[in-house]
Amino acid sequence: MLNKKYQQWGIIHEKLSVDEAMTRYYGHHSSLVRGKPVRFGFKNWSLCSSNGYCYSVDTYCGKTKGNPGDIQQPLGSRVVLSLLKCVCVYPVIIFLSLLSDLKRLGFRATGTLRQNRTEKSPLIPVKEMEKKKRGSYDSAFDSKNELLLIRWNDNSVCTIATNYDFLEPLQNDDVKQPNVFKAYNNGMGGVDSNDQVVNNYRISVRGKKWYWPLITSMFNVAMVNAWKLHQLVSEDKMDLLLFVRNVTRYYLRFSTKEHGKSRNSASVPKSIVEDDIGSLS
């Protein structure tokens, strides 16, 4: 339901990114993802814009039972194709690489490749590329699927593939950089940006159920998305903390006006409900 609301009110950007995002949890159901600020917890797949607006979140629940053809695709391909359904509805194409699938469906895509996933392309091996000077690169073009693969030596060797971008013009700063790497760096990082902002002011109320962190995480993402939209359409700019406080105060006022004071419920402090300065005391 929240994914539909994210997509209903969000503006689809040209540059989208798909990556893992972690929800902090240390119970028996937790996963480990190295290299993330939150390493232990529930693993979520997120589709975000380059500025950090989240369009869709899918919690990883282990191996799924689906159509036999879908299972033959790699996990990363299934995740990307599933999340992009909010942008365009299409059938899943079987036995094709992810970039070829996206190109046939009208999506321009660029992504990094591991060394063992280049499908025997005639690129210079990584160990030989490491011996070359910084800024060296090698490229190969798949004329059948119209894919461009580039291996570039910067601080480390990186391999990238694209179904639309070009090798040139080279960026001549201190080190020669292929154009596709610059475009990739400008468009990536949307999920990490969203995850960083969400972690700034997470809901601190703790629960005893294993699914409680997932529920609070949904509200955190919804709050960040609302703040992103407010920054886009409002002339009265405010930071995330002030925005969260204003939303909280609004619902506290609404709760006290609609239901009044209950004998068994804790009363809301008057300073919180009626304070117009923008801070909670």
Side-chain angles (χ1 to χ4, degrees):
M1 182 179 68
L2 283 177
N3 284 341
K4 292 182 179 179
K5 293 298 181 181
Y6 298 159
Q7 298 154 22
Q8 176 183 354
W9 299 108
I11 300 175
I12 301 298
H13 284 236
E14 179 183 3
K15 298 178 181 179
L16 304 175
S17 59
V18 177
D19 201 355
E20 299 167 338
M22 298 296 293
T23 299
R24 192 188 306 274
Y25 180 70
Y26 298 101
H28 296 290
H29 305 281
S30 62
S31 303
L32 170 63
V33 177
R34 303 183 186 277
K36 292 288 184 180
V38 179
R39 296 195 302 166
F40 291 94
F42 295 107
K43 182 168 68 173
N44 304 312
W45 298 99
S46 299
L47 172 68
C48 295
S49 64
S50 57
N51 68 346
Y53 184 91
C54 182
Y55 299 103
S56 182
V57 179
D58 184 15
T59 302
Y60 177 68
C61 301
K63 188 175 181 180
T64 58
K65 295 182 180 180
N67 298 327
D70 297 346
I71 300 300
Q72 295 180 12
Q73 289 184 322
L75 174 62
S77 299
R78 298 200 306 270
V79 168
V80 172
L81 294 173
S82 175
L83 290 176
L84 284 178
K85 287 181 180 179
C86 71
V87 183
C88 180
V89 179
Y90 53 84
V92 176
I93 303 175
I94 306 172
F95 302 118
L96 292 176
S97 65
L98 177 59
L99 288 178
S100 299
D101 287 345
L102 296 176
K103 185 176 182 64
R104 291 175 181 271
L105 297 168
F107 290 102
R108 299 184 300 175
T110 300
T112 55
L113 293 177
R114 294 182 180 178
Q115 181 181 355
N116 59 347
R117 294 187 178 180
T118 56
E119 299 183 2
K120 299 181 180 180
S121 61
L123 292 173
I124 298 177
V126 174
K127 292 185 178 180
E128 294 185 16
M129 183 64 73
E130 290 175 347
K131 299 178 182 179
K132 295 182 177 293
K133 65 178 182 179
R134 187 182 176 193
S136 301
Y137 65 90
D138 187 26
S139 62
F141 184 73
D142 182 1
S143 58
K144 180 180 179 180
N145 297 314
E146 297 183 351
L147 302 178
L148 176 64
L149 285 78
I150 303 174
R151 179 164 287 166
W152 179 51
N153 184 21
D154 189 22
N155 294 324
S156 61
V157 177
C158 180
T159 306
I160 207 168
T162 180
N163 62 10
Y164 79 99
D165 214 337
F166 302 96
L167 172 64
E168 297 179 347
L170 299 177
Q171 307 299 322
N172 296 319
D173 296 332
D174 296 332
V175 179
K176 289 185 178 181
Q177 182 187 47
N179 179 69
V180 63
F181 281 87
K182 181 179 180 180
Y184 175 76
N185 291 331
N186 292 335
M188 66 170 292
V191 177
D192 292 335
S193 175
N194 177 270
D195 203 23
Q196 180 182 8
V197 177
V198 166
N199 279 299
N200 287 337
Y201 304 107
R202 281 190 175 273
I203 296 176
S204 59
V205 179
R206 303 181 64 179
K208 296 183 179 180
K209 299 297 184 180
W210 63 267
Y211 50 79
W212 177 250
L214 291 174
I215 295 176
T216 57
S217 177
M218 295 176 187
F219 285 110
N220 289 325
V221 174
M223 185 69 72
V224 171
N225 280 351
W227 175 65
K228 293 283 185 182
L229 293 176
H230 181 271
Q231 294 289 93
L232 182 64
V233 301
S234 177
E235 297 180 356
D236 183 17
K237 306 297 182 182
M238 62 178 68
D239 58 18
L240 178 59
L241 178 58
L242 181 58
F243 181 81
V244 172
R245 285 173 171 173
N246 287 339
V247 173
T248 304
R249 289 165 53 217
Y250 170 80
Y251 280 106
L252 288 174
R253 289 196 188 101
F254 179 80
S255 177
T256 54
K257 290 180 181 179
E258 290 292 327
H259 304 288
K261 291 185 178 180
S262 176
R263 178 182 300 177
N264 297 327
S265 61
S267 59
V268 180
K270 187 176 181 180
S271 58
I272 294 180
V273 178
E274 298 182 354
D275 184 15
D276 293 328
I277 300 177
S279 61
L280 299 179
S281 56

